[in-house]
Amino acid sequence: PPRSTLDRSSAASDVYKRQAKKRIEKLESENKAQSKKIEKLMEQFVTNHPLFSEMKLVRTLTKIIPESHALFLGNSLPVREVDFYGSGNGSEVKVGLNRGASGIDGLVASSVGYSKGLNQPLTLLLGDLSLLHDLNSLKLISESPKPIVLIVLNNHGGGIFSFLPVSEHKDIFETYFSTPHSLEFKDAAKMFKLPYFHPESPEEFESIYLKKASANKSCIIEVITLKEDNIRVQKEWTEFLHQNR
């Protein structure tokens, strides 16, 4: 083609690129502003909510985790709760998780390997069924060269399924999806000679976690929650967000 045609084509391309860049910059600016607003609203909601929920624990943990720690997240609810409720104002830490088929097998062992590979202390946030599936790997935690703080969110079953439509089918839900149990982990900690803590308030959790995260010994922190409370708090947060956006 003639040179003048090529010049016009090149100029048009440059104009398009500049316009596209401006649109992208505008969208990024709007997204950042919206993110800041949601962050502020969530902080307000969580601070004022009286319940020591999984939302509040995750929010607290992501604000106070030390820079020296890595974070390993269990599948099912923990990874989603950190994604939904985690604070953007905490330390920047390395985060690991097993996605793949998103199963709950071997997560404790994986976290120990992640800590060893990074050669640094680690906080492991895990659900109760995940811990039950890999209970023998508490031996690895007790022998880990770097301390691991295992935080287990115990809602006595498969809490994630309570968020799904199948939860309305009462005749099958509890037996085949929720798989409820009455187990707690104090005796498991004792068996593997791991210090055990059971905080019952956000303030108690924060105090215990910060103290143990700076210690040179692994431990288990078990927080008991109710599946029903997690559903209720999520619904209240969604309503609050819609009302204030």
Side-chain angles (χ1 to χ4, degrees):
R3 183 175 182 82
S4 59
T5 302
L6 291 174
D7 289 343
R8 286 196 299 272
S9 176
S10 177
S13 177
D14 289 342
V15 169
Y16 174 79
K17 287 177 181 177
R18 286 195 296 271
Q19 290 174 341
K21 185 179 178 182
K22 286 181 180 178
R23 285 197 294 269
I24 291 170
E25 288 173 348
K26 182 182 178 183
L27 285 172
E28 287 177 343
S29 176
E30 290 172 352
N31 285 341
K32 284 180 181 177
Q34 191 68 7
S35 293
K36 285 182 180 178
K37 183 177 181 180
I38 292 173
E39 177 83 15
K40 186 176 179 181
L41 286 171
M42 174 159 280
E43 191 64 27
Q44 180 184 342
F45 176 82
V46 174
T47 300
N48 294 332
H49 202 286
L51 193 67
F52 184 28
S53 61
E54 292 184 17
M55 178 190 284
K56 184 165 284 194
L57 182 142
V58 163
R59 187 76 181 171
T60 301
L61 175 63
T62 51
K63 283 196 294 185
I64 66 174
I65 185 171
E67 240 179 345
S68 60
H69 268 232
L71 177 63
F72 197 92
L73 300 173
N75 288 327
S76 196
L77 271 182
V79 63
R80 290 170 173 83
E81 289 176 330
V82 169
D83 185 35
F84 294 160
Y85 312 137
S87 172
N89 296 319
S91 300
E92 290 190 10
V93 299
K94 294 183 176 69
V95 180
L97 58 156
N98 285 352
R99 293 313 287 157
S102 298
I104 60 172
D105 307 78
L107 294 175
V108 177
S110 293
S111 72
V112 176
Y114 190 61
S115 170
K116 190 168 184 179
L118 294 173
N119 193 34
Q120 69 181 103
L122 180 134
T123 295
L124 168 60
L125 182 66
L126 205 62
D128 51 284
L129 292 185
S130 295
L131 182 51
L132 287 171
H133 271 262
D134 200 18
L135 202 62
N136 58 317
S137 289
L138 288 178
K139 177 68 171 170
L140 297 177
I141 286 187
S142 70
E143 296 174 347
S144 173
K146 294 292 183 179
I148 293 176
V149 178
L150 192 169
I151 302 169
V152 55
L153 299 172
N154 189 352
N155 51 47
H156 294 109
I160 191 170
F161 298 108
S162 298
F163 288 86
L164 303 179
V166 70
S167 63
E168 297 172 11
H169 298 273
K170 305 301 181 185
D171 55 329
I172 61 169
F173 178 69
E174 287 297 319
T175 302
Y176 298 107
F177 290 88
S178 180
T179 57
H181 65 84
S182 58
L183 300 172
E184 296 180 5
F185 295 95
K186 183 176 182 178
D187 288 339
K190 183 179 179 181
M191 180 167 66
F192 292 99
K193 297 181 173 58
L194 288 165
Y196 171 88
F197 304 92
H198 175 43
E200 297 183 358
S201 70
E203 296 77 18
E204 191 181 2
F205 167 75
E206 183 170 344
S207 174
I208 290 170
Y209 173 74
L210 288 175
K211 185 176 179 181
K212 297 306 165 185
S214 62
N216 195 32
K217 185 171 178 58
S218 297
C219 70
I220 295 176
I221 300 174
E222 180 174 21
V223 177
I224 306 296
T225 66
L226 295 175
K227 292 190 286 288
E228 297 79 9
D229 286 343
N230 293 327
I231 296 293
R232 179 165 59 85
V233 173
Q234 170 60 30
K235 286 181 178 177
E236 289 173 359
W237 157 243
T238 302
E239 291 169 4
F240 178 82
L241 183 60
H242 286 314
Q243 290 167 3
N244 290 277
R245 289 183 74 176

